[in-house]
Amino acid sequence: MAGFRLSKHYTMPKEQLREAAEGLARQLERQHGVRSSWEGDCVRIKGAGVDGELSFAGGVVDVSVRLGLLASPFKGMLQAEVQRYLDEHVS
């Protein structure tokens, strides 16, 4: 199973970080048809061939995504999209 992992340090307030994470989840839902659900400070993303989570604690945002066989060809595009979103919305 293919996938990727990203992390980024943050100093912004937790409330703003949660809003940014919610924005990313909404964007992925619209563009890729996945579903998201929150468990504490972790948002889980599930869809056809995609299983991931974004969590934040201790000053670090951690994104972990697993891709099934059919979604694997889109790894580079998805990874770049998530990285770009983190760079633009997380500080």
Side-chain angles (χ1 to χ4, degrees):
M1 192 176 263
F4 60 89
R5 188 170 189 164
L6 301 169
S7 62
K8 180 173 177 143
H9 292 277
Y10 70 90
T11 57
M12 63 197 304
K14 207 172 193 179
E15 297 80 22
Q16 289 179 348
L17 183 58
R18 187 175 177 101
E19 288 175 16
E22 288 172 350
L24 176 59
R26 282 191 305 271
Q27 179 177 323
L28 294 172
E29 286 173 350
R30 275 192 319 271
Q31 295 178 349
H32 302 288
V34 297
R35 290 193 172 140
S36 65
S37 62
W38 280 91
E39 295 176 18
D41 289 336
C42 178
V43 61
R44 298 194 185 280
I45 305 290
K46 286 197 177 272
V50 179
D51 184 18
E53 66 180 42
L54 179 150
S55 60
F56 47 94
V60 177
V61 175
D62 185 49
V63 178
S64 177
V65 177
R66 291 173 300 284
L67 301 170
L69 185 62
L70 296 176
S72 294
F74 302 102
K75 175 186 172 190
M77 180 194 68
L78 289 170
Q79 185 172 354
E81 181 179 343
V82 172
Q83 184 66 61
R84 185 172 34 256
Y85 190 92
L86 292 176
D87 291 343
E88 291 175 3
H89 295 92
V90 175
S91 59

